Amino acid sequence: MKRLTVMIHAELEVPDDWEVVEHPSGMQVLKIGAQYVDFDLAPLATTSTDPEAEWSDAHSAVINEVLDTVSGLEVDLKINTHH
């Protein structure tokens, strides 16, 4: 069995009115207007404040806006073999 470790470091140059907030689910997220944006392997968003909110990439306009701000991205992949 192998284990894949994915580490991503991204730097974004964002407008002053974007802010980092804690979503009611307890996650630290980016707030852009009424949208909450989380980062996974791709940006995910919700308009819900429900702690069980569904996060998705369905809000393509805000997702594309976030992706347009990426000024640097670093990915480090490591595979560890377990015997």
Side-chain angles (χ1 to χ4, degrees):
M1 165 117 18
K2 300 188 269 188
R3 177 176 294 179
L4 173 64
T5 301
V6 179
M7 297 174 63
I8 301 172
H9 175 89
E11 292 185 13
L12 290 73
E13 294 181 11
V14 301
D16 290 336
D17 61 336
W18 292 13
E19 58 185 327
V20 175
V21 300
E22 185 170 318
H23 186 267
S25 66
M27 297 171 29
Q28 192 174 42
V29 297
L30 182 63
K31 187 165 190 241
I32 304 169
Q35 298 278 336
Y36 297 94
V37 179
D38 180 30
F39 292 91
D40 198 352
L41 291 179
L44 303 175
T46 188
T47 57
S48 175
T49 58
D50 184 327
E52 299 297 320
E54 181 176 328
W55 296 82
S56 75
D57 61 357
H59 304 280
S60 61
V62 72
I63 297 302
N64 288 335
E65 187 177 355
V66 172
L67 289 173
D68 287 343
T69 67
V70 176
S71 64
L73 182 66
E74 180 180 322
V75 178
D76 182 24
L77 302 175
K78 295 180 182 179
I79 295 179
N80 298 313
T81 304
H82 296 279
H83 295 281

